[in-house]
Amino acid sequence: MSSTAGKLVTSRSELNIEDYLPSGSSIQEPRGKLRLLDLIDISPTLTEAAGAIIDDSFTRCFKSNPPEPWNWNIYLFPLWCFGVVVRYCILFPLRCLTLAFGWFIFLSTFIPVHSLLKGQDKLRKNIERVLVEMICSFFVGSWTGVVKYHGPRPSIRPKQVYVANHTSMIDFIVLEQMTAFAVIMQKHPGWVGLLQSTILESVGCIWFNRSEAKDREIVARKLRDHVQGADNNPLLIFPEGTCVNNNYTVMFKKGAFELGCTVCPIAIKYNKIFVDAFWNSRKQSFTMHLLQLMTSWAVVCEVWYLEPQTIRPGETAIEFAERVRDMISLRAGLKKVPWDGYLKYSRPSSKHSERKQESFAESLLARLEEK
Amino acid sequence: MGNTSSMLTQYDTEEVQSHCQDLCENFPPRNLSVSSVMCLIRYSQQEILSLYQRFCQLDRNAKGFISSDEFLSVPEFSMNPLSLRLLKMVDGLNFKDFVAFLSAFSAKASLKQKVKLIFQVYDSDCNGKVSFKDVMEVLRDLSGSFMSDEQREQVLSQVLNEAAYTCDSFLTLEDFIKVFGSCKPEMDVEIPVD
């Protein structure tokens, strides 16, 4: 009962989830006169519901895979204990020290530059860019991050937007250490929010708030303004809108694909042998997630900068988004599912069940005509 | 199944298997509660383990049962027109009863078990009888605003009369089984086994 990787929808302005889902066949192929049996046989609908209860493709996207415990042996267990000691008592303090050192250098250069060079914007921006890249490298170093970049490095050009699949907030750090992107992010509370409002503002990051309705238009406008500016840092968007577990991709939101500029896809794949980098925001806070990364052996990932794409004539934004999602999923070895990531936070709209009701009613009425 | 870790022992799986089988023996046939419905099928060990993993995945804070909210957070379930009816049947079930409920969807389940589940979906007040009104309500769930009440009444009366029932008759489980005859409802869901 698994919904399989999708097919591109041709020339429809809205993707039909029903195309992807296993069709439990609604009451169906008109087979002669309507009988009582046909009316009370609700088994297709029940089967779909039970199928969803037993396994559904949406929940699979957000399942974190804890590593299998392998320390259950008389000789493996001491080895594992030794590993724990090394990770927590040697590596972890070293990493904290490295990170603290990095922050020290960063803050002692960033704060003066930010306040003193108020007049010379261009120079200040350049220095801040380099500094942000540096602190991100320190972060990556603090998890012993081994990142392999494939493809041409992003350059600063107007009318260009980068999109990537999203596994955790560290995606941003991994990408930022190579190029100072301006990212569009959800505004977080706590120390992350503090960093967002101070340091990330300087690279031109844009904030949104999922819970605010009017937010979409404001953000769309900000995005458009940003990509027009020649001097702004390249814009990085995570069109999934939420963290997914690096085995699947959920539907891309079309906002990034409606800006009328070139879209450069980036695919990120983490190697699960070392650590599961998926940040399950429902289960852990970001601090705990970072601590988990810092007490693992390493974070190994690959980043591919893919061929820039432009919207083809006659293609809608949604089709464009799906095409780019195909590229990213293919490159990173991810399976596609037809769900909107925001269903994590809200129920599906009633139009899906209404569509089912409509097709049921139509076939029933059609069969009624047959005598 | 006291512990909340995802490890089931052999005792646990055997307990669930026999729970499914015992239910029919211990509960009197008139008692149409969910758990007495479908048993007598023996899930394999592997299937029970997979179901347990799924149960733990849906039951987010390890309470021992899955709440309505958690069921509705599965978009595919939420989109189903009969989700609310099914929710009344599955809400708050512990793991054993959860498996017993799902056993009607196994390929090994008999026609009687499957028809029994369908009957239970209709018989929301659990009085052992399905009235014209009950069927109308399910029809309303399935067709929504795309059919008027008159059209639904018309369809239902027509098929009922053809099957030699009246609009005032009550359908029992036996009637349902008679209507289905030898046509086993296609209600098989395979449990993914890793």
Side-chain angles (χ1 to χ4, degrees), chain A residues 204-336:
Chain A
C205 289
I206 298 174
W207 317 117
F208 69 85
N209 206 333
R210 251 175 230 133
S211 34
E212 267 172 50
K214 280 256 167 218
D215 209 49
R216 281 195 67 184
E217 295 145 29
I218 303 174
V219 170
R221 200 174 19 92
K222 285 192 199 166
L223 289 181
R224 251 179 301 237
D225 293 338
H226 189 104
V227 288
Q228 303 297 336
D231 224 15
N232 290 328
N233 289 326
L235 189 61
L236 174 64
I237 301 182
F238 294 108
E240 285 173 311
T242 187
C243 292
V244 185
N245 75 354
N246 212 227
N247 281 331
Y248 297 90
T249 46
V250 296
M251 300 252 290
F252 277 9
K253 301 211 176 306
K254 59 184 175 150
F257 302 88
E258 291 181 315
L259 298 169
C261 34
T262 328
V263 170
C264 310
I266 305 178
I268 310 178
K269 179 78 178 168
Y270 291 89
N271 191 331
K272 285 214 170 29
I273 299 179
F274 293 94
V275 79
D276 184 7
F278 169 51
W279 177 38
N280 195 340
S281 51
R282 280 187 290 203
K283 286 215 175 119
Q284 296 178 304
S285 69
F286 189 57
T287 319
M288 287 309 302
H289 177 65
L290 268 190
L291 285 176
Q292 187 202 335
L293 291 177
M294 284 173 78
T295 50
S296 322
W297 289 107
V299 172
V300 178
C301 67
E302 292 197 68
V303 173
W304 290 274
Y305 296 106
L306 301 173
E307 186 86 36
Q309 303 291 315
T310 34
I311 192 164
R312 294 192 184 138
E315 209 180 23
T316 65
I318 294 192
E319 288 167 359
F320 185 30
E322 277 298 290
R323 185 160 60 88
V324 171
R325 184 158 85 111
D326 277 339
M327 282 177 71
I328 294 182
S329 308
L330 186 64
R331 181 69 267 186
L334 309 171
K335 297 194 203 88
K336 291 172 50 172

Side-chain angles (χ1 to χ4, degrees), chain A residues 45 53 56 63 347 357, chain B residues 54 57 69 79-80 122 141:
Chain A
T45 319
I53 294 179
D56 77 296
K63 194 168 128 177
R347 300 268 172 271
Q357 288 175 326
Chain B
R54 176 66 175 175
Q57 189 187 52
D69 221 31
M79 277 172 14
N80 194 296
Y122 277 99
D141 284 338

Side-chain angles (χ1 to χ4, degrees), chain B residues 88-111:
Chain B
K88 267 186 255 169
M89 294 168 77
V90 291
D91 182 23
L93 288 183
N94 65 16
F95 179 61
K96 281 196 231 170
D97 292 331
F98 177 74
V99 174
F101 172 78
L102 289 176
S103 57
F105 294 95
S106 160
K108 301 177 227 163
S110 69
L111 173 123

